[in-house]
Amino acid sequence: MKKEEIKKKIDQMTLEEKALLCVGRDFWHLQGLERLGIRETMVTDGPHGLRKQEEKADHLGVNGSNAAICFPAGCALASSFDPALAQEMGQEIGKLAQAEVVSVVLGPAVNIKRSPLCGRNFEYYSEDPLVSSSIAAGTIKGIQSQNVGACPKHFLANNQERYRQTSNSVVDEQTLREIYLASFESAVREAEPWTMMCAYNRINGTYACENAAFLTDILRDEWGFDGYVMTDWGAMDDPVECIKAGLELGMPGPAQDNVRRIRKAVEDGVMEEAVLDRAVERILTVVFRYQENHKAVPYDFEKGHAAAARIESESAVLLKNEDGVLPLLEEESVALIGAFVKAPRYQGGGSSHINPYRMSSVWDVAGDKENVSYAEGFRVGADAEQQEQLLQEAILCAKTADKAVLFIGLPDSFETEGLDRKRLDLPEDQNRLVEAVAAVQPDTVVVLHNGSPVTMPWLDKVKGILELYLGGEAVGIAAADLIYGKVNPSGHLAESFPIRIEDTPTYPYYGVERDDVPYREGRLVGYRYYETMHRPVLFPFGHGLSYTEFSFTNLCLDKKEMKDTERLAVSVDVANTGMRAGKALVQIYVSAPRCKEVRPLRELRAFEKIFLAPGEVRTISLELSKRAFAEWNVGLGDWYVPEGEYHIQIGRSAADIILEEAVLVHPTVALRPHFTVNSPIGDIMAHPAAAKVFAQVSGNMMGTEGTEEERGKDMENSVLGKEAMEAIMVESPLRAMVSYVPGTSIEQAEQLVDAINAAVQCGKDE
């Protein structure tokens, strides 16, 4: 429907009707207005499937929902490093949404993994904004290709479950821009989602739902978002302030008090009716976009189940494969051990919890093989005596086989919406099981079902580790295909696995603070912290093995020197030097020159996953734009590239750089700092134009009488010594001269600053 037609409908509405359209009709539906031909529409969860509830509704996955395909969770999908695969998954979700008459799917979940303890990390993609936004863009494109809206969430800085509805994320502007906003930015710009969901929390003191700086200035005016913004369920604190800030829809409904407050605000002149009209127009634009393109085509569940298996097989990460213990050979006798062999954990708890169409375990696929045996090994909730019996049965089973494969992981209660994790450890009975089996079976493999990193005290005692994450309803099919070599693993970690929780950047305070939550680590999130601080990890970001081998050679840059407005073409030759076909991941990192500010040692700036046959060689070319070199400059209010030599790196992971070339980048935007009497003298002297004026005007204010040699001797003979004296002078504010240089005044210092700033604004900069 054209904008003019929608505005005509709004002109025919009463104030009450307009207010009603800005709150939900019920838990999952938007209001309709039959007399104007506006039908109610439905929105529903989920990031990795459809959680459509027909009767009892809730936002925590407590009540039942219609059968749907449970696809791999975000933690798994991101490990594919494949936006095209994410798009395929989005298409399947969109197709089922059309069949179920759902207008908007509430997902993907795009929040950064700030700490591995966040209880909802299984839904989120990565600790890196490039990976997160790329996978999100693919998912959004896939969903919306079926004429169904996607709803990225939770905007913004929603990185913990503890007091998530009231906590205040205190984040500096640079960190917001480079990490947390960046996770959403390219997904919005590239995929153009129909809707966006606001987070519960406050950001620097203002609720996300009432924050015009993010909802209007950045999301709409800067990024070009043109859909409607809805609250997370129950997140609307002040409906009037929400609408004024740029939010349109409060969910769930009915919420008659919110309707009354909106209506009264217009009647009392607190909010202009035109602002309310704008909100209604944005909602109806999306509503009619869906209604005019809806086609209720039956969904093919078998095809969806097969797609879920294929997507998981592309996402699983082979962490360790000593002595080629995997893949298993058909003729080998294999002991499959663990409760997750027959009843795998495949999804997390809460609003994303899917009622699966059909569950497939690894036992369903491989259990009928003559040389495969099974032992339960552990049971969630079993007492000590039962656990001991299960342990002994597992030891006996492992002893009599050629190889043992243990299927272990985190129980449902460890990872769910509403609760953060307290520790990284697996349950002790599972760790004990691995230790016991590895003691009697040298060829032991661990297969993990978990939504976030775990510690591995038995790492050196097992030969193989396969990370499945939460792989969806067809995880068993994928697991069997992977361990028997039908599929070659090609996933890579989209998050770092720390050795222990104490090593994480947020360790001292995550899960402790409940009101103000300062993001003290700033930009040093995930591998940005570990690499910058040279802190070892269990497995680094980007790590992932294969059943074949890949080589990376001939890194080439199309220029050795460039302006920041130019694009840099990067090429590298990738060869499959092994005996199996497989997929290689090209990871391009940029390491910035050392500067005054703490900047991450390296950052992922481009990636591409490619298929190679044995012996095949391909040249991969990727381009880096200004943003690959830039950091957010608060004073400039924009992206800025500091002058210097940048290192372009090819890595097998963030911790394993194998190729490197340098390029000199020149900024085209001049930084023109504004100095005050409190500016350190060293900062003034470091700026050419400022230093020139300072030297001309200050005269002997710095005690410059005498020769250079005499002044040097005076410093050397001082109690502090020359180095300390120079440091004190460099770090002292300009106003200190008033105290230490006879005959000077604050008025003279202010005049000097005015002259310096005038020269800086007119002259050339460093």
Side-chain angles (χ1 to χ4, degrees):
M1 185 174 291
K2 294 180 179 179
K3 181 177 289 189
E4 295 75 18
E5 296 176 273
I6 292 175
K7 287 186 174 181
K8 285 181 181 179
K9 289 184 181 290
I10 295 173
D11 290 341
Q12 299 175 59
M13 295 179 190
T14 66
L15 182 57
E16 176 81 7
E17 289 171 334
K18 294 175 184 178
L20 274 168
L21 286 171
C22 289
V23 301
R25 183 181 74 79
D26 55 28
F27 208 88
W28 295 119
H29 292 86
L30 277 64
Q31 298 278 359
L33 196 55
E34 190 173 337
R35 72 181 185 85
L36 293 178
I38 302 170
R39 303 195 307 272
E40 67 178 42
T41 54
M42 185 176 194
V43 301
T44 195
D45 287 319
H48 53 270
L50 211 63
R51 193 174 74 93
K52 181 181 179 181
Q53 294 181 311
E54 299 283 10
E55 298 177 0
K56 291 184 178 180
D58 71 277
H59 71 292
L60 291 175
V62 176
N63 297 306
S65 57
N66 292 359
I69 301 298
C70 180
F71 289 96
C75 56
L77 181 63
S79 298
S80 72
F81 276 76
D82 190 343
L85 189 72
Q87 186 165 340
E88 290 179 33
M89 182 174 126
Q91 288 172 348
E92 292 299 318
I93 293 173
K95 289 176 183 177
L96 183 54
Q98 277 281 34
E100 291 281 5
V101 198
V102 170
S103 69
V104 173
V105 177
L106 304 180
V110 196
N111 296 102
I112 287 290
K113 298 183 178 185
R114 178 178 173 238
S115 166
L117 293 179
C118 178
R120 212 166 175 180
N121 271 1
F122 63 88
E123 286 187 55
Y124 304 151
Y125 290 133
S126 180
E127 65 191 30
D128 181 81
L130 175 62
V131 176
S132 181
S133 57
S134 298
I135 300 299
T139 305
I140 294 165
K141 288 178 182 177
I143 292 171
Q144 295 186 170
S145 70
Q146 305 305 307
N147 296 311
V148 171
C151 183
K153 59 184 186 181
H154 310 84
F155 192 68
L156 178 69
N158 179 190
N159 306 104
Q160 66 181 54
E161 293 301 284
R162 177 179 165 84
Y163 291 95
R164 62 177 176 159
Q165 297 195 42
T166 55
S167 64
N168 178 32
S169 298
V170 182
V171 198
D172 68 88
E173 183 181 339
Q174 187 177 46
T175 297
L176 278 170
R177 282 287 187 169
E178 294 188 24
I179 304 295
Y180 298 98
L181 281 165
S183 187
F184 287 86
E185 182 179 358
S186 65
V188 172
R189 290 182 183 272
E190 180 185 340
E192 300 179 341
W194 291 10
T195 69
M196 177 74 75
M197 182 186 290
C198 240
Y200 285 118
N201 54 285
R202 292 172 288 157
I203 306 164
N204 296 329
T206 303
Y207 278 106
C209 294
E210 301 172 10
N211 207 314
F214 299 116
L215 297 185
T216 297
D217 299 346
I218 293 176
L219 180 63
R220 292 189 183 279
D221 297 345
E222 188 178 323
W223 296 353
F225 175 75
D226 65 354
Y228 69 77
V229 179
M230 70 179 80
T231 67
D232 203 337
W233 266 228
M236 183 173 274
D237 179 56
D238 184 329
V240 177
E241 291 303 313
C242 286
I243 292 173
K244 288 166 66 176
L247 182 135
E248 285 73 45
L249 178 64
M251 291 296 287
Q256 289 302 319
D257 185 62
N258 284 342
V259 173
R260 178 189 61 79
R261 292 166 72 183
I262 294 169
R263 187 187 66 243
K264 189 174 186 302
V266 175
E267 292 171 343
D268 294 348
V270 175
M271 179 173 66
E272 294 182 7
E273 189 165 0
V275 174
L276 181 60
D277 290 351
R278 181 189 64 189
V280 174
E281 180 185 340
R282 288 169 174 171
I283 293 170
L284 292 183
T285 298
V286 173
V287 167
F288 284 118
R289 185 185 302 164
Y290 166 74
Q291 291 182 353
E292 292 168 359
N293 293 283
H294 174 248
K295 297 177 182 178
V297 178
Y299 184 71
D300 187 337
F301 280 90
E302 284 299 316
K303 182 180 177 182
H305 189 73
R310 182 171 52 80
I311 292 167
E312 168 59 11
S313 68
E314 295 278 333
S315 303
V317 185
L318 183 61
L319 297 177
K320 182 177 182 180
N321 196 27
E322 187 179 320
D323 297 334
V325 68
L326 289 176
L328 304 175
L329 303 176
E330 289 291 340
E331 60 269 22
E332 291 176 327
S333 62
V334 178
L336 299 181
I337 298 172
F340 294 160
V341 170
K342 292 186 176 181
R345 180 162 180 258
Y346 59 94
Q347 64 176 324
S351 60
S352 67
H353 197 275
I354 306 300
N355 175 20
Y357 162 67
R358 187 174 80 244
M359 260 310 303
S360 294
S361 70
V362 71
W363 187 253
D364 294 333
V365 180
D368 60 353
K369 295 179 182 290
E370 291 184 2
N371 53 355
V372 170
S373 56
Y374 167 72
E376 188 176 3
F378 69 91
R379 186 181 305 154
V380 177
D383 60 32
E385 184 178 343
Q386 291 173 320
Q387 293 288 20
E388 181 61 29
Q389 181 179 347
L390 293 171
L391 178 64
Q392 295 304 319
E393 291 172 355
I395 291 172
L396 181 60
C397 186
K399 275 183 178 180
T400 56
D402 294 326
K403 292 179 180 177
V405 184
L406 292 91
F407 287 75
I408 63 173
L410 296 174
D412 288 336
S413 60
F414 279 46
E415 296 175 298
T416 184
E417 180 178 354
L419 294 174
D420 286 323
R421 295 172 65 189
K422 301 300 182 186
R423 51 194 297 183
L424 290 183
D425 304 333
L426 288 163
E428 186 51 40
D429 59 317
Q430 294 188 35
N431 282 330
R432 184 166 170 247
L433 173 65
V434 178
E435 298 268 3
V437 168
V440 300
Q441 174 53 262
D443 289 331
T444 294
V445 174
V446 170
V447 177
L448 290 167
H449 295 263
N450 49 297
S452 51
V454 295
T455 58
M456 303 179 193
W458 33 260
L459 174 64
D460 294 333
K461 299 177 183 178
V462 301
K463 286 191 175 180
I465 304 173
L466 178 65
E467 175 61 84
L468 294 179
Y469 278 113
L470 301 183
E473 65 176 48
V475 65
I477 298 174
D481 287 348
L482 288 160
I483 63 176
Y484 277 98
K486 185 176 179 181
V487 174
N488 192 348
S490 61
H492 291 255
L493 292 179
E495 61 186 325
S496 307
F497 271 47
I499 296 172
R500 54 183 194 148
I501 189 59
E502 290 85 354
D503 296 330
T504 60
T506 60
Y507 166 68
Y509 39 88
Y510 191 88
V512 176
E513 293 150 331
R514 51 172 288 181
D515 187 18
D516 285 349
V517 181
Y519 285 39
R520 295 178 179 87
E521 70 285 352
R523 297 178 288 174
L524 299 185
V525 179
Y527 74 88
R528 286 169 167 80
Y529 169 78
Y530 299 116
E531 293 307 306
T532 303
M533 302 301 290
H534 302 289
R535 190 174 292 275
V537 293
L538 203 62
F539 294 105
F541 172 90
H543 172 73
L545 304 177
S546 170
Y547 294 153
T548 190
E549 297 292 332
F550 300 103
S551 69
F552 300 82
T553 57
N554 195 27
L555 172 60
C556 294
L557 312 182
D558 73 334
K559 53 183 73 72
K560 294 296 183 181
E561 188 172 355
M562 60 184 283
K563 295 179 180 179
D564 64 5
T565 51
E566 298 178 90
R567 300 178 75 88
L568 179 69
V570 181
S571 65
V572 63
D573 292 342
V574 187
N576 183 342
T577 59
M579 303 300 292
R580 291 173 178 262
K583 293 187 176 181
L585 178 65
V586 178
Q587 303 174 52
I588 299 180
Y589 295 87
V590 174
S591 182
R594 296 186 66 85
C595 55
K596 295 177 183 177
E597 295 183 5
V598 175
R599 190 165 178 180
L601 178 64
R602 67 178 57 93
E603 298 178 274
L604 184 72
R605 293 311 196 195
F607 64 87
E608 185 173 340
K609 193 174 181 180
I610 59 169
F611 175 84
L612 292 172
E616 184 179 0
V617 181
R618 283 179 58 186
T619 300
I620 301 303
S621 297
L622 296 169
E623 281 193 336
L624 300 180
S625 65
K626 176 180 178 178
R627 283 287 290 272
F629 307 99
E631 61 181 353
W632 182 260
N633 185 280
V634 175
L636 193 63
D638 202 350
W639 297 97
Y640 176 73
V641 178
E643 173 92 19
E645 185 178 82
Y646 291 78
H647 289 246
I648 311 304
Q649 303 172 331
I650 302 296
R652 295 187 185 275
S653 72
D656 185 9
I657 302 303
I658 52 178
L659 298 173
E660 185 171 35
E661 291 289 339
V663 59
L664 181 61
V665 184
H666 304 290
T668 55
V669 176
L671 283 184
R672 301 189 185 279
H674 180 79
F675 296 105
T676 71
V677 293
N678 287 309
S679 296
I681 293 172
D683 288 2
I684 295 172
M685 297 304 293
H687 193 285
K692 184 177 181 180
V693 173
F694 182 85
Q696 292 172 342
V697 178
S698 63
N700 65 359
M701 292 173 66
M702 291 288 292
T704 56
E705 65 278 359
T707 65
E708 183 74 27
E709 183 179 353
E710 288 172 337
R711 291 195 301 273
K713 286 182 178 179
D714 288 341
M715 284 189 177
E716 289 175 356
N717 294 331
S718 70
V719 175
L720 296 175
K722 183 179 180 181
E723 185 176 348
M725 286 292 292
E726 288 179 342
I728 290 172
M729 290 176 62
V730 165
E731 296 173 2
S732 295
L734 187 64
R735 61 172 167 74
M737 293 189 301
V738 177
S739 300
Y740 298 114
V741 180
T744 60
S745 66
I746 191 66
E747 289 78 14
Q748 287 177 305
E750 289 172 344
Q751 290 172 6
L752 175 56
V753 165
D754 290 342
I756 289 172
N757 283 327
V760 167
Q761 295 306 312
C762 297
K764 292 184 179 181
D765 298 277
E766 57 180 346

